[in-house]
């Protein structure tokens, strides 16, 4: 398969999954979309890195999604309580994601001077992940949505970093950060029920 078409497919994959996570109201599908999103991150990272290093990102992302899924399965009522008080509806979220997509398109086309070594698919995928992740963080306080927003933003940074540097140590450290965020999110999800039931 042509590398350019593979990179374009990865950009479409991360864009669709990140928007779906942003507008989804079911935690199961959000966690599943996060796992699928890491396949796109793997493809974008493998453009610049060897497959072994890029696979570390995918495996760490899958483990983080599994950890968050297990935590939510333990306390499913935490999601329904938070979703009842959700301030912004689906229509607003779709409109916000669409507006952000236009801004990211403009930024990608005018960022050649900032990142001359990055190809357009890498810039598009990384900027989209960072933008949607930050948008998710700005509109919610639910621990699962916050952690998924942080993981999405970190994934965008990792795609940019993969194109700039190929350090094995930093790859391992970023995988530890990904798993650490998932564990912190698990504590924030399960913690209130532990206090309520000593």
């Amino acid at each position: 398969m042509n590398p350019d078409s593979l990179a374009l497919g990865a950009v479409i994959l991360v864009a669709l999954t990140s928007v779906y996570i942003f507008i989804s109201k079911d935690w199961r599908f959000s966690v599943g979309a996060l796992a699928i999103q890491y396949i796109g991150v793997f493809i974008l990272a493998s453009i610049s890195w060897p497959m072994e290093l890029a696979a570390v990102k995918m495996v760490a992302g899958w483990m983080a999604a599994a950890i968050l899924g297990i935590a939510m399965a333990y306390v499913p009522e935490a999601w329904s309580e938070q979703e009842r008080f959700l301030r912004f509806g689906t229509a607003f979220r779709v409109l916000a994601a669409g507006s952000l997509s236009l801004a990211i398109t403009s930024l990608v086309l005018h960022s050649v001077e900032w990142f001359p070594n990055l190809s357009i698919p890498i810039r598009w995928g990384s900027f989209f992940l960072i933008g949607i992740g930050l948008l998710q963080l700005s509109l919610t306080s639910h621990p699962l949505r916050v952690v998924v927003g942080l993981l999405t933003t970190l994934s965008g940074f990792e795609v940019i970093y993969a194109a700039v540097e190929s350090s094995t140590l930093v790859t391992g450290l970023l995988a530890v950060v990904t798993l650490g965020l998932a564990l912190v999110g698990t504590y924030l999800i399960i913690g209130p029920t532990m206090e309520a039931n000593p």
Side-chain angles (χ1 to χ4, degrees):
M1 186 177 235
N2 186 5
D4 291 335
S5 62
L6 190 64
L8 182 61
V11 169
I12 292 170
L13 182 65
V14 297
L16 290 177
T17 54
S18 59
V19 169
Y20 182 78
I21 291 168
F22 180 61
I23 64 173
S24 175
K25 293 195 173 190
D26 190 342
W27 67 266
R28 293 169 195 86
F29 294 137
S30 293
V31 170
L34 179 66
I36 293 170
Q37 177 179 291
Y38 274 101
I39 296 173
V41 172
F42 161 73
I43 294 170
L44 288 173
S46 67
I47 293 171
S48 308
W49 281 1
M51 288 288 194
E52 299 82 17
L53 281 180
V56 170
K57 294 194 178 312
M58 184 171 64
V59 171
W62 285 354
M63 290 173 66
I67 290 168
L68 292 171
I70 291 169
M72 284 304 298
Y74 182 73
V75 199
E77 64 273 4
W79 181 262
S80 57
E81 289 173 10
Q82 184 70 23
E83 286 297 304
R84 219 175 357 185
F85 300 109
L86 196 62
R87 288 189 207 137
F88 305 104
T90 305
F92 174 79
R93 289 175 177 266
V94 169
L95 185 65
S99 300
L100 183 68
S101 300
L102 293 174
I104 288 170
T105 301
S106 175
L107 184 65
V108 165
L109 297 176
H110 293 93
S111 64
V112 179
E113 302 85 25
W114 304 339
F115 302 107
N117 297 335
L118 299 182
S119 64
I120 287 182
I122 290 177
R123 276 185 279 154
W124 217 310
S126 61
F127 290 175
F128 205 87
L129 287 168
I130 291 171
I132 290 289
L134 291 175
L135 187 61
Q136 172 107 339
L137 287 171
S138 67
L139 295 179
T140 188
S141 62
H142 189 273
L144 178 67
R145 287 192 183 272
V146 168
V147 171
V148 169
L150 286 171
L151 289 173
T152 302
T153 304
L154 182 64
S155 296
F157 168 75
E158 288 176 345
V159 169
I160 290 177
Y161 186 79
V164 175
E165 180 67 37
S166 61
S167 170
T168 307
L169 177 62
V170 175
T171 303
L173 289 174
L174 288 173
V176 169
V177 169
T178 299
L179 294 175
L181 282 172
L183 291 173
V184 168
T186 299
Y187 174 75
L188 292 174
I189 292 166
I190 297 177
T193 63
M194 294 169 61
E195 293 172 3
N197 302 320

